Structures are given as C-alpha cells and as structure tokens.
C-alpha cells in the first residue's frame, strides 16, 4: 500500500470517529434569558436606545426589542436553539439604535457549558450586560 493510500485511510478513519462521537452526543436545547444592562453609554451625548442580538456558533438566534432612552434596560425576550452542543460559542452584541446606523456598544462571547449559568460582561464603550443561559438535554 502506498503512503498516500495509507494517509487517506487514516484520514477516513479519523473523520468517521469524530462523526460517531458527535452523533452519539445527546441533543440539547440552549435557552438565553434574563438580559439586562446597566450604565450603558450612548455614542451621541444622549441616552442609548439599546437592543441585543443573540448568536450561537454559526447562527443568528434573534434580536430584542429596542429600549428607548434607557441607560439600564431590561429585555423580556427568551431565545432558544435546539441541537446545541457543549462548547458551542454564545455571542451577544449590544447596540445603540440610531437613525443612520446603529452603534455597537460591545460584544460578549462565551463557550457554553451544561447547566444554568448567570454571567456579567463588561462592554467596550462602558456599561455591563447581564444574562443567563441554560444548556440541558432535550426533553
């Protein structure tokens, strides 16, 4: 057997092993909730009109409503994703809604773990985003 054939066989065995491990992992649901921010700053000397966009791994989960004229907004929205995996990346982006273009106030990024977690993220332009998430088996 040539060395290139041996390399191809080894690659196929490795890929099959990874696929088998990934397929054996129990499907889970990711829920993101309890989003609230404190001490947000506006890019224009006013009060921010804030909203949050939520992403997981490679996809967009959704966007909160805009909370106008509020330095300390809370959002009631809850975001869910089926087939989430432990160590997927959860990303939350906080924006100030403006007439011409929205300004990014900061990004929070985290590798998700099993269970229920509360986190606090310090934003680039000032302020804090608090949020919770749960990663649990699909019922």
């Amino acid at each position: 057997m040539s060395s290139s054939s041996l390399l191809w066989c080894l690659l196929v065995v490795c890929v099959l092993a990874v696929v088998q491990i990934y397929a054996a992992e129990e499907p889970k649901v990711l829920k993101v909730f309890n989003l609230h921010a404190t001490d947000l700053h506006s890019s224009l000397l006013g009060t921010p009109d804030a909203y949050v966009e939520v992403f997981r791994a490679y996809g967009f989960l959704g966007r909160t409503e805009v909370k106008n004229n509020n330095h300390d907004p809370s959002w009631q929205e809850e975001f869910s994703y089926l087939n989430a995996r432990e160590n997927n990346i959860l990303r939350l982006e906080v924006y100030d809604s403006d007439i011409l273009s929205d300004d990014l106030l900061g990004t929070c990024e985290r590798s998700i773990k099993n269970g229920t977690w509360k986190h606090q993220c310090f934003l680039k332009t000032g302020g804090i985003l608090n949020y919770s998430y749960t990663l649990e088996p699909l019922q």
Side-chain angles (χ1 to χ4, degrees):
M1 186 182 276
S2 72
S3 62
S4 63
S5 296
L6 184 59
L7 286 174
W8 274 110
C9 288
L10 183 59
L11 177 63
V12 168
V13 169
C14 290
V15 167
L16 289 174
V18 168
V19 167
Q20 189 174 26
I21 290 169
Y22 193 74
E25 190 176 325
E26 185 177 13
K28 296 179 180 161
V29 61
L30 169 66
K31 294 180 184 174
V32 181
F33 55 98
N34 284 346
L35 291 107
H36 61 277
T38 55
D39 298 324
L40 292 181
H41 300 277
S42 176
S43 59
L44 305 171
L45 303 171
T47 307
D49 302 320
Y51 66 91
V52 180
E53 289 188 347
V54 181
F55 302 84
R56 73 96 209 142
Y58 307 106
F60 177 70
L61 293 182
R63 173 182 160 166
T64 65
E65 68 177 319
V66 175
K67 296 292 184 167
N68 291 311
N69 301 315
N70 196 335
H71 289 285
D72 304 310
S74 291
W75 295 275
Q76 302 305 311
E77 291 91 336
E78 187 173 293
F79 303 94
S80 296
Y81 175 73
L82 302 177
N83 293 324
R85 307 271 185 212
E86 190 168 16
N87 297 317
N88 279 166
I89 300 298
L90 172 64
R91 188 174 80 246
L92 297 98
E93 298 176 353
V94 182
Y95 289 90
D96 179 14
S97 179
D98 289 325
I99 293 170
L100 295 177
S101 69
D102 297 349
D103 300 310
L104 179 64
L105 300 179
T107 300
C108 305
E109 200 168 273
R110 166 167 311 278
S111 179
I112 59 175
K113 303 294 179 204
N114 290 321
T116 300
W117 301 89
K118 292 181 180 183
H119 291 289
Q120 188 175 67
C121 171
F122 295 90
L123 302 174
K124 175 178 67 172
T125 61
I128 299 169
L129 177 66
N130 299 283
Y131 64 96
S132 300
Y133 77 83
T134 297
L135 180 63
E136 57 190 15
L138 194 57
Q139 301 284 335

